[in-house]
Amino acid sequence: MTVLSPPRPAAIARALRDARTWCAGHTIDDRPALVHALRVAVTIGQHVPAPAQDVIIAALLHDAPEFAPTERDVYQTLTAGYGTEVTRIIAALQVEHRALDEPDPPIRVDDQPVLLASTADKIVALTSLLRRAQSTGNAPDFFDRRPVLCGLLPHFRAFQRAAHPRLPASMSAHLDAALTPLERATAAAQRVGAR
């Protein structure tokens, strides 16, 4: 059983419907965007007993600013439908996502709801990345073609270390377990490229 298993609270059921609508036709990590959203929400529930409903809703809708229709301000729509806390968490995740395009992105671990959603998002994305690399049969080539991503791995490791004391131990360990094989694989790719 997961945090999304029926019977669901009405707000989570509504968020799931909105996520289905807004994610339709979009992909993340070569899979339907809805799969990513569901996995982020479920990952939180795997590590946090009785997580706050707002965190689960924010996890389901965290990519809404990128996918929702633009006729109306997405943050107004989120606030009207789910309240200010859900909107605040999603806005903070969007700031974090955009910062990854900047040199030396900041690491924030002081906001527990954002930290839980952000960590789950990283676990799901990094696990998917490793799976995709392994499925190619040529992981070194896969990572060689993604230098920006490889350059972010030290940031994700620094995030994991900074977040460790504030996360459930199992969640920190899960992020570590996602990062470690990626670090090994990218180091192997760099050795192959140096030859």
Side-chain angles (χ1 to χ4, degrees), residues 44-122:
I44 293 168
Q46 289 172 336
H47 299 289
V48 180
Q53 182 173 283
D54 287 343
V55 175
I56 298 303
I57 292 169
L60 286 170
L61 300 173
H62 74 279
D63 288 314
E66 296 171 41
F67 299 151
T70 57
E71 299 88 49
R72 228 178 119 194
D73 179 87
V74 70
Y75 292 109
Q76 289 177 350
T77 301
L78 288 166
T79 300
Y82 300 101
T84 57
E85 178 67 356
V86 168
T87 303
R88 185 189 71 75
I89 295 166
I90 292 171
L93 292 172
Q94 287 300 306
V95 167
E96 184 180 280
H97 286 176
R98 283 192 300 274
L100 293 177
D101 294 331
E102 304 297 324
D104 197 25
I107 294 172
R108 285 196 54 214
V109 297
D110 57 336
D111 185 329
Q112 193 67 16
V114 174
L115 178 63
L116 293 173
S118 174
T119 303
D121 188 29
K122 287 173 179 58

Side-chain angles (χ1 to χ4, degrees), residues 12-67:
I12 290 179
R14 195 169 70 252
L16 189 52
R17 283 193 302 274
D18 283 344
R20 275 193 186 103
T21 300
W22 293 340
C23 289
H26 298 282
T27 60
I28 295 175
D29 300 329
D30 293 338
R31 289 191 175 209
L34 181 62
V35 172
H36 175 81
L38 297 174
R39 286 184 175 164
V40 173
V42 167
T43 298
I44 293 168
Q46 289 172 336
H47 299 289
V48 180
Q53 182 173 283
D54 287 343
V55 175
I56 298 303
I57 292 169
L60 286 170
L61 300 173
H62 74 279
D63 288 314
E66 296 171 41
F67 299 151

